[in-house]
Amino acid sequence: MKRRAGEREKEMKKKKLLEELGESRLPYMTPEDAGFHQLWKTKYSKLIFRKSDTVPEELHQVVQEGFLTLRKHDCFFQDLVRIKGKDFVTPVSRILIGNPGCTYKYLNTRLFTVPWPTEGYEIKYCSPQIHDACKALIKLNDYLHIEAVQALQRQNSSETKETKDTVVIDREQNFDTSIKEKGSVLKDQSSCYVSEDDYTSLKNRTSFNLTLLNYMDPLQMLYLKQEPYFGMGNMAVSWHHDENLVARSTVAVYSYSCEGSAVEESNEQNLKGRDPAVWHVGLKVAWDIETPGLAIPLHQGDCYLMLDDLNMTHQHCVLAGFLPRFSSTHRVADVEFEWLRQFWFQGKRYLKCTDWWLEPMARLEEFWRKMEVMTSLALCEVRKEDQTVEQRNETISGLLLVLTERQKLRKEWTARCQSQAAESLPEDQKPECHPFWIDDDSNMPLPYDLEEVIANLQGLAQ
């Protein structure tokens, strides 16, 4: 209910903002505009940008090879998400990679990590190349974690250097040595900036446990939404806050346009606004019509960090260029409920990379079956006559709440698995409605359709 109320509130804000705008468009700035850096400094100071030439070349190489490997092995998938009660297939293809057992939920769909190599876990990959790609993303994760901690330290020490002055790294160092050395001195350096408790908080808010990889080829898209507030052009990802993250945690993004740079810049010399040939990240203050937005070009290997509460106070979008693009978005994700149906809703997609999730899902299903048995036993107890009317009615009331919600969700998930959007997916990616059974299945203590059970229970209430 809270989620739906939140969605309604966002829709009302969006509608009000568009009504206030009418046919006009809000102003926005790119690096070509005179006031761009001043606007960034005053209104978007928690966005930190790192140009590609400040990132170690060795890291670029292994990460970009990893992207191409995962694409070659068909590991990117368009997600079936739910917006305003309807199912849609995303224009962007994605894969979640991270700590074993982690998940990330967005737009009512939960993604499950393909585990990256982790000490203490036996992970069987479908090919050595997929293993190497996941290993490369750990290196990127470690690098961005250190960059994020240092950026927050500088922010907390009230340093007010220009963005370009904060982009410093010794590119001559060996990458692995650089990561180890920087990691080992971070704690020592922290005494110059923040207290012990603050340092622990900084570390927790930047300890990325997964990365959501994105891939899209704009020229293969039949249709892309137009950015509605500023007139920024084609959007690959609409305006949003990233969902279900640890409060005030950093989001770090690495961007890679996978072809050469020959056509990266538009041939038009006097464009007003952003160059439509180049990918951009757009930022705006949430639900604000006074502050100009930003459109920042993303070239091959650029990175950016959204620090502290920027993800909550501001919204961001991704503006499409002409070339295919990968990105790796590193997050500190929360853990939530809803696993069995969410997992099988993804079809068999994860088996293209690893079978790691099959065992924990099988164990979870065993616990779920025990829950069904316990519910059945509770229904038997409520029919016994050795209870007072008050006791029986209290038990019935509790059971009705549980069973009514269970029935509603089963109907919702059954409908999602049979939606037109679901049917449009490739066979190995189509949702499986699981667990599912016919109502006279002798192995199950309760029917799948609970309408009759609920009606009988309501009849017992006095």
Side-chain angles (χ1 to χ4, degrees), residues 8 34 47 50 62 79 89 94 114 135 162 179 195 197 213 258 280-281 290 296 299 307 309 333 347 369 372 381 421:
R8 285 196 298 270
L47 174 74
R50 296 287 187 263
V62 296
D79 293 324
V89 176
R94 297 184 167 98
V114 172
K135 187 176 180 181
E162 293 287 345
I179 286 290
S195 68
D197 288 344
L213 271 59
C258 61
H280 287 65
V281 58
E290 304 296 330
I296 304 173
H299 297 291
L307 302 179
D309 62 352
R369 287 179 180 274
E372 287 287 295
E381 286 295 314

Side-chain angles (χ1 to χ4, degrees), residues 254-271:
Y254 177 93
S255 181
Y256 171 53
S257 301
C258 61
E259 301 295 338
S261 58
V263 294
E264 243 186 69
E265 303 292 341
S266 170
N267 291 326
E268 298 179 49
Q269 298 298 314
N270 298 311
L271 283 168

Side-chain angles (χ1 to χ4, degrees), residues 93-372:
S93 298
R94 297 184 167 98
I95 181 174
L96 191 71
I97 296 178
N99 289 352
C102 281
T103 71
Y104 178 65
K105 185 180 177 185
Y106 80 106
L107 297 177
N108 302 303
T109 295
R110 181 179 302 284
L111 304 182
F112 294 74
T113 54
V114 172
W116 47 33
T118 305
E119 186 176 352
Y121 289 85
E122 183 180 350
I123 302 161
K124 297 177 182 178
Y125 296 95
C126 295
S127 77
Q129 291 79 21
I130 292 177
H131 167 276
D132 293 344
C134 293
K135 187 176 180 181
L137 290 162
I138 292 182
K139 290 186 176 183
L140 178 60
N141 200 66
D142 291 343
Y143 173 80
L144 292 173
H145 165 64
I146 290 172
E147 288 293 306
V149 171
Q150 291 183 333
L152 283 166
Q153 286 175 341
R154 283 191 288 268
Q155 183 189 77
N156 286 358
S157 67
S158 300
E159 290 184 4
T160 56
K161 296 179 181 179
E162 293 287 345
T163 304
K164 61 183 180 181
D165 293 332
T166 65
V167 183
V168 178
I169 187 169
D170 183 357
R171 295 181 64 233
E172 298 303 316
Q173 283 184 280
N174 173 271
F175 171 66
D176 287 324
T177 303
S178 172
I179 286 290
K180 289 175 183 175
E181 289 178 355
K182 289 178 79 174
S184 65
V185 299
L186 272 180
K187 186 69 178 294
D188 296 332
Q189 289 177 342
S190 68
S191 61
C192 303
Y193 299 111
V194 295
S195 68
E196 181 81 14
D197 288 344
D198 286 340
Y199 174 77
T200 301
S201 174
L202 292 184
K203 192 172 181 182
N204 290 341
R205 289 188 285 126
T206 57
S207 295
F208 309 121
N209 52 8
L210 51 81
T211 178
L212 182 61
L213 271 59
N214 306 281
Y215 172 76
M216 194 180 85
D217 183 351
L219 298 183
Q220 299 299 315
M221 297 294 108
L222 296 176
Y223 169 77
L224 288 175
K225 279 187 178 180
Q226 292 295 298
E227 192 284 311
Y229 306 119
F230 302 90
M232 291 177 174
N234 290 336
M235 294 191 299
V237 181
S238 301
W239 291 106
H240 67 288
H241 306 281
D242 286 335
E243 302 177 79
N244 299 318
L245 303 179
V246 169
R248 296 177 61 204
S249 60
T250 296
V251 177
V253 181
Y254 177 93
S255 181
Y256 171 53
S257 301
C258 61
E259 301 295 338
S261 58
V263 294
E264 243 186 69
E265 303 292 341
S266 170
N267 291 326
E268 298 179 49
Q269 298 298 314
N270 298 311
L271 283 168
K272 183 179 179 181
R274 80 171 184 100
D275 185 341
V278 178
W279 285 81
H280 287 65
V281 58
L283 285 103
K284 70 182 181 73
V285 178
W287 315 117
D288 179 307
I289 63 171
E290 304 296 330
T291 307
L294 290 185
I296 304 173
L298 297 171
H299 297 291
Q300 202 171 71
D302 287 346
C303 303
Y304 60 92
L305 309 171
M306 294 186 287
L307 302 179
D308 197 48
D309 62 352
L310 182 73
N311 182 50
M312 299 308 300
T313 59
H314 293 60
Q315 292 174 303
H316 58 283
C317 69
V318 181
L319 303 161
F322 292 166
L323 299 176
R325 172 185 177 261
F326 294 94
S327 68
S328 182
T329 61
H330 298 249
R331 305 149 189 258
V332 188
D334 273 334
V335 178
E336 292 185 3
F337 186 62
E338 300 177 311
W339 287 60
L340 275 178
R341 293 196 184 280
Q342 287 277 12
F343 179 76
W344 292 107
F345 188 67
Q346 313 292 322
K348 298 183 175 67
R349 60 166 63 180
Y350 297 105
L351 295 179
K352 288 196 173 185
C353 301
T354 177
D355 63 359
W356 188 86
W357 277 101
L358 294 182
E359 183 180 341
M361 282 297 138
R363 291 203 304 269
L364 185 60
E365 188 163 336
E366 288 178 14
F367 288 121
W368 167 79
R369 287 179 180 274
K370 290 178 181 178
M371 181 184 70
E372 287 287 295

